[in-house]
């Protein structure tokens, strides 16, 4: 910042900033007081680059030491100070006062701070992580389950095979994704983004011998991988770009694509039905999606299998409503036009599906702008057909939702990440924890 | 303004009133729609879950068809927007990857070029604010929706993740629906669910999770005094309108609030009649909204 803004007290032209008054509205609650929760208004004088956590700690030091918040490193590493600021789940130490007060959703520049969502409040800004987050993490068996006797020394794995799981290893367990999760808001039993991202960390680990069992367990659980409503809230709030929802999609991909796990939640059926219908028609034949999903991808099965029929029957009133409203005509329910060039779409499906491996570009590893701003013409297509160097094969990498923090070179290097995290989290101690 | 128009599967499938209302509104906005009627499904997140190379190729095909028209691309579905932006981010990130994807398109004589300069893929909502402009929109209003209380429902795919949805350039995109409702003379209703998930993606897999979400947001909008919801996403519309009678069971209360498509709300303010906008093709009847609008016309 190099401009002066009197209203926000932003930086002066020479780069130094000056303290200004920030208005905070903090949610407070003390179960021992017998009082209900209330808002406390604060006015804190600090430089705009200082964090929301700094402001809260200043209030504690100067005004009321009974205000409760967890914190430790104050550098977005320990994951202790997760709160909601202006409705968004994030780390208080990682959110600048100046930015928070200027957000459109802050209203009149007041910074609203609340405890995280989806977890019970213990006091003020402290939530019960044990009751929700850690319990759910335990649920996914968060340690290695290798086969056979442990090796004499450490397990040796090629660095490339760990790249795929580096993103899920970056989790600092701050709970921001749990707080923001919209599926958990509707279904508190949902295993949730943090725990499922952790599950992928072991599903994707070549040393683990229970891959299929883990996937089957998470696919069959009605609150497992198919209970994720695909809302991107966890991706948006994660301070470490773990993109938990993307890890859940990888779990689904592994469950259906690699192991063909036909779960009773219709996860397999829905994916198969959707993909098959687009492969056949080019656009979605919506009226076949439901029965095919219920029939594990098969229209015939949907009409002979008792559990499929039961689900179809339960959908009957909705179908009637669709027909009655005129949204769905009887013709449309039965017949769907193929695209004019459907042969081309079919060819694309065949080319990709016959490859025998899934190619994925992992933007978490390669960054989201490999060619920088001054893009040249595309290189010769045939030369790059194998995608070497940029494109990781199955088990080598997956899709990534978000780029790592700009300007943090260590984040760009997947191998380093794997090494670092491997030392921290994947050592024999973890295997031994079983 | 000419746009390469991608209507998506649902607007030509279970929400024909969206396709029809967009066609009716376009001339009122001087939008020339060049419909991409040979383009394929965006994958709606499901094909991405299945195979990334496949979904990137399918959407590169759509982009290539749009680019061949010489115009920017417009969609009317938050889900198409999000699913396509995800693919576009990968395609734009890496020239080798893009070349590999383009090789699949070569037999059809198509090729996606990295989006540079003016070529963009935008939902109608973004077009209204950024390309047509709120001032211009206001100037075209012939029937201000005064007194109509509209609860905006954005749809996840158009608001998250901000990192790949152009929020760096346009940081207020998650307020546009409110802006548009106000520009049309209506009142934008604030309620808890505006930016939450309708639950549609799990309707076949976790029905309770799905319809509890839909039901709660509808109930919140009713409690906030809304006459109707408005959404730029036909999939949200399906869970909020088509499934609304079923959703009542999951929140254990009566609902009964109409859910309009964005072009329907715009069309009403620009002088089109409810019938022309397909407002008779809703599961939750829109007659109260129609009556209010008719009173406006009479006033």
């Amino acid at each position: 910042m190099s401009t002066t803004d009197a209203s926000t007290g932003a930086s002066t032209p020479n780069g130094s900033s000056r303290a200004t008054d920030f208005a905070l509205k903090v949610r407070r609650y003390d179960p021992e007081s017998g009082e209900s929760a209330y808002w406390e208004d604060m006015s804190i004088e600090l430089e705009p680059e200082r964090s929301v956590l700094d402001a809260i700690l200043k209030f504690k030091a100067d005004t009321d030491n009974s205000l409760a918040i967890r914190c430790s490193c104050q550098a977005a590493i320990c994951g202790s100070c997760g709160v909601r600021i202006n409705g968004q789940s994030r780390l208080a130490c990682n959110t600048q006062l100046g930015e928070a007060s200027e957000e459109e959703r802050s209203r009149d520049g007041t910074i609203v701070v609340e405890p995280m969502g989806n977890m019970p409040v213990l006091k003020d800004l402290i939530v019960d992580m044990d009751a929700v987050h850690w319990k759910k993490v335990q649920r996914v068996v968060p340690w290695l389950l290798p086969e056979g006797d442990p090796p004499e020394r450490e397990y040796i794995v090629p660095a490339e095979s760990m790249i795929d799981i580096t993103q899920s290893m970056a989790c600092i367990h701050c709970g921001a994704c749990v707080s923001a999760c919209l599926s958990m808001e509707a279904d508190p039993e949902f295993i949730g983004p943090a725990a499922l991202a952790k599950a992928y960390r072991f599903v994707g680990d070549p040393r683990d011998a229970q891959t299929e069992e883990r996937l089957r367990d998470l696919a069959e659980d009605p609150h497992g991988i198919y209970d994720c409503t695909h809302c991107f809230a966890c991706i948006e709030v994660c301070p470490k770009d773990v993109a938990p929802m993307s890890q859940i999609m990888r779990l689904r991909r592994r469950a259906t694509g690699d192991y063909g796990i036909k779960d009773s939640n219709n996860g397999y059926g829905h994916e198969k039905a959707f993909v098959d219908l687009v492969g056949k028609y080019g656009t979605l034949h919506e009226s076949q999606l439901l029965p095919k999903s219920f029939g594990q991808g098969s229209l015939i099965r949907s009409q002979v299998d008792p559990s499929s029929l039961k689900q179809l029957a339960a959908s009957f009133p909705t179908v009637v409503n669709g027909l009655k409203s005129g949204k769905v005509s009887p013709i449309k329910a039965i017949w769907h036009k193929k695209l004019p060039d459907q042969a081309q779409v079919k060819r694309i499906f065949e080319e990709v599906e016959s490859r025998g491996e899934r190619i994925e570009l992992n933007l978490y590893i390669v960054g989201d702008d490999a060619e920088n701003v001054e893009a040249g013409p595309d290189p010769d297509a045939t030369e790059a057909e194998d995608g070497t160097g940029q494109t990781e094969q199955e088990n080598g990498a997956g899709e990534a939702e978000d780029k790592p923090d700009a300007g943090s070179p260590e984040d760009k290097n997947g191998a380093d990440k794997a090494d670092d995290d491997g030392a921290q989290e994947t050592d024999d101690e973890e295997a031994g924890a079983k | 303004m000419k746009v390469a128009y991608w209507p998506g599967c649902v607007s030509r499938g279970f929400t024909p009133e969206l396709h029809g209302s967009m066609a009716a509104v376009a001339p009122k906005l001087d939008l020339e729609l060049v419909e991409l009627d040979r383009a394929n499904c965006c994958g709606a997140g499901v094909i991405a879950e299945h195979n990334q190379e496949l979904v990137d190729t399918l959407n590169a095909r759509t982009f290539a068809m749009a680019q061949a028209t010489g115009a920017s691309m417009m969609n009317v579905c938050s889900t198409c927007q999000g699913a396509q932006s995800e693919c576009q981010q990968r395609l734009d990130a890496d020239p080798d990857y893009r070349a590999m994807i383009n090789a699949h398109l070569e037999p059809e004589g198509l090729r996606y070029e990295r989006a540079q300069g003016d070529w963009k893929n935008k939902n109608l909502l973004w077009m209204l604010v950024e390309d047509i402009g709120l001032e211009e929109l206001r100037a075209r209003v012939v029937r201000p929706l005064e007194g109509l209380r509209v609860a905006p429902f954005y749809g996840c795919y158009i608001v998250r993740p901000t990192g790949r949805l152009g929020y760096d350039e346009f940081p207020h995109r998650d307020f546009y629906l409110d802006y548009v409702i106000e520009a049309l003379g209506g009142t934008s209703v604030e309620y808890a669910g505006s930016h939450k998930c309708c639950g549609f993606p799990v309707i076949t897999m976790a029905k309770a999770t799905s319809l509890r979400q839909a039901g709660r947001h509808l109930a919140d909008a009713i409690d906030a005094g809304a006459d109707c919801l408005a959404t730029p996403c036909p999939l949200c519309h399906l869970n909020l309108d088509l499934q609304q009678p079923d959703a009542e069971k999951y929140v254990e209360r009566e609902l009964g609030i109409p859910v309009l498509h964005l072009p329907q709300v715009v069309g009403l303010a620009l002088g089109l009649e409810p019938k022309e906008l397909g407002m008779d093709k809703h599961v939750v009847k829109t007659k109260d909204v129609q009556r209010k609008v008719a009173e406006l016309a009479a006033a």
Side-chain angles (χ1 to χ4, degrees):
Chain A
M1 251 189 247
S2 61
T3 53
T4 305
D5 185 336
S7 64
T8 62
S11 309
T12 52
N14 64 12
S16 67
S17 62
R18 58 168 192 276
T20 187
D21 280 335
F22 286 98
L24 277 81
K25 200 179 176 69
V26 178
R27 191 73 172 163
R28 300 205 58 180
Y29 171 64
D30 181 359
E32 287 174 13
S33 73
E35 310 276 319
S36 53
Y38 64 98
W39 293 102
E40 174 137 14
D41 293 311
M42 308 172 181
S43 176
I44 310 287
E45 190 182 350
L46 273 177
E47 294 78 17
E49 298 82 9
R50 300 288 291 277
S51 71
V52 172
L53 179 62
D54 287 334
I56 288 167
L57 294 179
K58 188 167 174 6
F59 177 84
K60 266 175 82 77
D62 298 348
T63 310
D64 179 3
N65 195 33
S66 75
L67 174 63
I69 184 167
R70 276 197 196 102
C71 68
S72 179
C73 77
Q74 304 189 36
I77 294 165
C78 74
S80 301
C81 64
V83 290
R84 279 185 294 182
I85 300 170
N86 299 333
Q88 178 105 334
S89 304
R90 41 191 156 175
L91 299 175
C93 73
N94 200 21
T95 307
Q96 292 187 352
L97 288 164
E99 285 176 8
S101 69
E102 284 172 25
E103 287 171 355
E104 184 152 349
R105 57 167 81 88
S106 86
R107 315 235 162 133
D108 319 324
T110 301
I111 301 166
V112 178
V113 188
E114 298 165 89
M116 288 196 289
N118 286 330
M119 289 177 271
V121 178
L122 293 175
K123 191 183 177 204
D124 295 333
L125 299 172
I126 296 181
V127 296
D128 192 347
M129 297 277 285
D130 289 338
V132 180
H133 172 72
W134 292 112
K135 199 172 121 196
K136 289 172 186 295
V137 170
Q138 285 297 314
R139 158 72 184 81
V140 303
V141 194
W143 53 80
L144 271 181
L145 298 170
E147 206 163 37
D149 296 328
E152 276 182 34
R153 292 173 62 85
E154 66 272 19
Y155 286 93
I156 305 217
V157 292
E160 314 83 84
S161 68
M162 298 298 281
I163 289 175
D164 189 35
I165 53 175
T166 53
Q167 194 171 14
S168 57
M169 285 172 167
C171 176
I172 56 172
H173 293 281
C174 65
C177 61
V178 176
S179 165
C181 178
L182 295 178
S183 271
M184 213 185 284
E185 197 175 283
D187 173 17
E189 288 183 74
F190 176 44
I191 296 174
L196 288 173
K198 182 55 73 185
Y200 187 70
R201 182 250 165 279
F202 293 99
V203 162
D205 192 312
R207 295 168 295 181
D208 197 89
Q210 302 288 316
T211 308
E212 185 175 353
E213 292 79 358
R214 286 177 187 273
L215 288 168
R216 196 170 288 283
D217 169 40
L218 298 171
E220 282 296 352
D221 189 326
H223 314 287
I225 53 178
Y226 297 116
D227 198 20
C228 164
T229 193
H230 212 279
C231 71
F232 303 95
C234 57
I235 296 180
E236 182 64 17
V237 301
C238 176
K240 292 291 167 187
D241 291 316
V242 170
M245 192 193 98
S246 303
Q247 313 312 327
I248 298 172
M249 295 308 125
R250 284 176 171 152
L251 288 168
R252 288 186 183 179
R253 186 148 60 230
R254 297 292 300 274
T256 56
D258 294 349
Y259 293 95
I261 296 168
K262 296 185 169 82
D263 61 287
S264 50
N265 298 306
N266 302 323
Y268 174 90
H270 181 252
E271 182 191 313
K272 178 152 177 49
F274 194 108
V275 173
D276 285 356
L277 286 169
V278 175
K280 185 170 175 189
Y281 295 99
T283 55
L284 188 61
H285 186 350
E286 291 166 285
S287 51
Q288 283 198 5
L289 183 62
L290 207 62
K292 278 192 165 218
S293 296
F294 294 155
Q296 292 178 353
S298 154
L299 206 53
I300 295 165
R301 194 191 151 93
S302 76
Q303 289 161 57
V304 294
D305 179 73
S307 87
S308 310
L309 275 172
K310 202 175 146 197
Q311 296 185 75
L312 265 183
S315 308
F316 190 67
T318 306
V319 175
V320 171
N321 283 336
L323 289 164
K324 261 168 53 186
S325 66
K327 275 184 157 34
V328 188
S329 64
I331 290 270
K332 202 190 278 176
I334 300 161
W335 185 76
H336 188 73
K337 202 172 110 185
K338 282 185 182 175
L339 277 184
D341 306 315
Q342 180 52 25
Q344 295 291 339
V345 175
K346 196 168 168 233
R347 175 187 55 75
I348 290 169
F349 268 74
E350 283 165 0
E351 277 177 24
V352 175
E353 305 269 34
S354 66
R355 205 188 271 286
E357 60 187 355
R358 291 189 301 269
I359 292 181
E360 296 172 12
L361 181 72
N362 191 333
L363 297 186
Y364 181 77
I365 303 300
V366 303
D368 75 349
D369 197 359
E371 62 185 307
N372 297 315
V373 202
E374 73 281 16
D378 283 356
D380 181 46
T382 50
E383 199 180 290
E385 198 153 10
D386 64 1
T388 314
Q390 308 290 345
T391 309
E392 299 292 343
Q393 310 301 314
E394 164 60 355
N395 290 343
E399 101 274 45
E401 300 297 339
D402 284 333
K403 61 175 180 176
D405 290 346
S408 59
E410 72 275 18
D411 276 353
K412 302 265 183 199
N413 191 325
D416 282 358
K417 274 190 140 154
D419 289 349
D420 291 350
D421 227 89
Q424 190 186 78
E425 201 177 357
T426 69
D427 55 17
D428 293 345
E429 197 181 30
E430 217 164 356
K434 181 191 169 192
Chain B
M1 192 188 322
K2 180 171 130 177
V3 291
Y5 170 47
W6 168 237
C9 302
V10 182
S11 90
R12 293 170 298 177
F14 282 4
T15 62
E17 70 282 1
L18 170 59
H19 195 235
S21 58
M22 186 62 237
V25 159
K28 298 269 179 193
L29 294 167
D30 285 330
L31 279 175
E32 185 196 339
L33 305 180
V34 182
E35 188 163 324
L36 300 170
D37 52 6
R38 307 177 94 79
N40 46 256
C41 172
C42 73
V46 184
I47 300 181
E49 171 188 322
H50 171 74
N51 188 310
Q52 195 191 85
E53 181 190 1
L54 181 59
V55 77
D56 287 354
T57 308
L58 291 173
N59 282 310
R61 181 175 179 270
T62 304
F63 299 153
M65 288 176 167
Q67 288 182 333
T69 69
S72 270
M73 187 171 147
M74 187 186 88
N75 64 76
V76 283
C77 173
S78 295
T79 302
C80 289
Q81 179 72 61
Q84 290 175 334
S85 291
E86 178 182 334
C87 297
Q88 197 184 348
Q89 185 190 30
R90 284 191 291 262
L91 291 165
D92 287 353
D94 189 308
D96 294 337
Y97 183 72
R98 185 165 62 249
M100 184 197 77
I101 298 293
N102 269 329
H104 290 306
L105 304 182
E106 216 174 276
E108 205 175 350
L110 290 169
R111 181 181 184 80
Y112 168 68
E113 302 289 350
R114 178 178 149 122
Q116 291 178 74
D118 292 338
W119 193 86
K120 297 248 163 61
N121 173 27
K122 286 188 183 183
N123 186 276
L124 169 69
L125 179 63
W126 297 350
M127 297 276 306
L128 284 172
V129 178
E130 293 158 8
D131 299 85
I132 293 165
L134 291 170
E135 274 308 308
E136 180 63 28
L137 185 62
R138 237 175 251 124
R140 286 171 188 250
V141 170
V142 296
R143 179 163 55 197
L145 304 177
E146 275 164 34
L148 192 68
R149 295 176 54 82
V150 185
F153 196 91
Y154 285 81
C156 300
Y157 279 78
I158 206 171
V159 289
R160 291 178 293 267
T162 48
R164 63 162 177 254
L165 289 172
Y167 279 75
D168 288 346
E169 195 181 348
F170 301 105
H172 300 305
R173 281 181 167 177
D174 51 348
F175 289 90
Y176 283 5
L177 200 46
D178 298 75
Y179 297 168
V180 167
I181 291 164
E182 300 277 339
L184 300 174
T187 303
S188 172
V189 175
E190 191 181 334
Y191 69 112
S194 58
H195 293 72
K196 291 187 176 178
C197 180
C198 70
F200 185 82
V202 288
I203 185 70
T204 55
M205 301 181 284
K207 199 171 180 182
T209 303
S210 176
L211 292 184
R212 248 180 248 148
Q213 295 185 79
R216 282 180 190 176
H217 308 329
L218 292 162
D220 283 342
I222 292 168
D223 292 347
D227 296 313
C228 64
L229 273 74
T231 181
C233 182
L235 281 71
C236 294
H237 171 92
L238 285 178
N239 230 40
L240 297 169
D241 177 61
L242 177 63
Q243 300 280 358
Q244 195 174 133
D246 212 4
E248 289 182 339
K249 294 173 214 150
Y250 290 85
V251 289
E252 295 172 346
R253 63 175 274 183
E254 279 187 23
L255 296 167
I257 183 169
V259 181
L260 305 191
H261 300 280
L262 175 61
Q264 290 178 324
V265 184
V266 176
L268 287 175
L270 299 192
L272 292 164
E273 293 312 313
K275 183 104 182 155
E276 296 174 88
L277 296 164
M279 282 175 60
D280 50 341
K281 285 197 168 66
H282 288 231
V283 169
V284 179
K285 297 302 166 211
T286 60
K287 57 178 188 300
D288 287 348
V289 173
Q290 295 193 32
R291 185 178 43 76
K292 277 207 171 195
V293 171
E295 282 165 12
L296 289 174

